Amino acid sequence: MITIYHNNRCSKSRQALELLQNTGQEIKVVPYLSETPTVEELRAILAKLQAGPEDIIRKGEKLYKEVYAGQHLTQEEWLQVLTENPVLIERPIVVNGEKAVVGRPPENVLTIL
């Protein structure tokens, strides 16, 4: 099953979800702002992305600019920040088995099908 960490208010996330729906595969939609991944879940996602926490931070977000820009946090500290502030998590993130991708541009999701 394909899992998409989705924000319906984001046009890129909606486009990625539509692309996935058009494949006919079973999709689990996780509204990550209300069903925030745990630190352990984020670690697993990052391993599949082959990325670190800083790679999935939305650096254009007001919260990031006002509070976190320029801070040198450890990976564990960033994981905690992301679970406490899911608005900072890049969207959408799509997981298919042991592969994952950030859906920006939305067509990226097709690379892991």
Side-chain angles (χ1 to χ4, degrees), residues 67-78:
V67 178
Y68 297 105
Q71 288 200 27
H72 300 287
L73 303 179
T74 67
Q75 287 201 0
E76 289 304 310
E77 289 170 329
W78 277 123

Side-chain angles (χ1 to χ4, degrees), residues 10-72:
C10 171
S11 64
K12 300 293 184 197
S13 196
R14 289 192 310 269
Q15 290 170 13
L17 178 59
E18 183 179 353
L19 284 171
L20 292 171
Q21 289 170 330
N22 289 339
T23 69
Q25 297 190 46
E26 189 174 352
I27 303 164
K28 176 182 178 184
V29 178
V30 177
Y32 73 93
L33 292 176
S34 60
E35 296 177 28
T36 307
T38 65
V39 168
E40 293 76 23
E41 290 169 329
L42 277 177
R43 264 195 214 103
I45 292 166
L46 288 167
K48 293 173 185 182
L49 285 169
Q50 298 180 345
E54 290 183 82
D55 297 323
I56 63 164
I57 293 174
R58 295 179 51 79
K59 294 177 177 71
E61 283 292 327
K62 181 179 177 183
L63 176 64
Y64 177 82
K65 290 178 182 177
E66 292 178 354
V67 178
Y68 297 105
Q71 288 200 27
H72 300 287

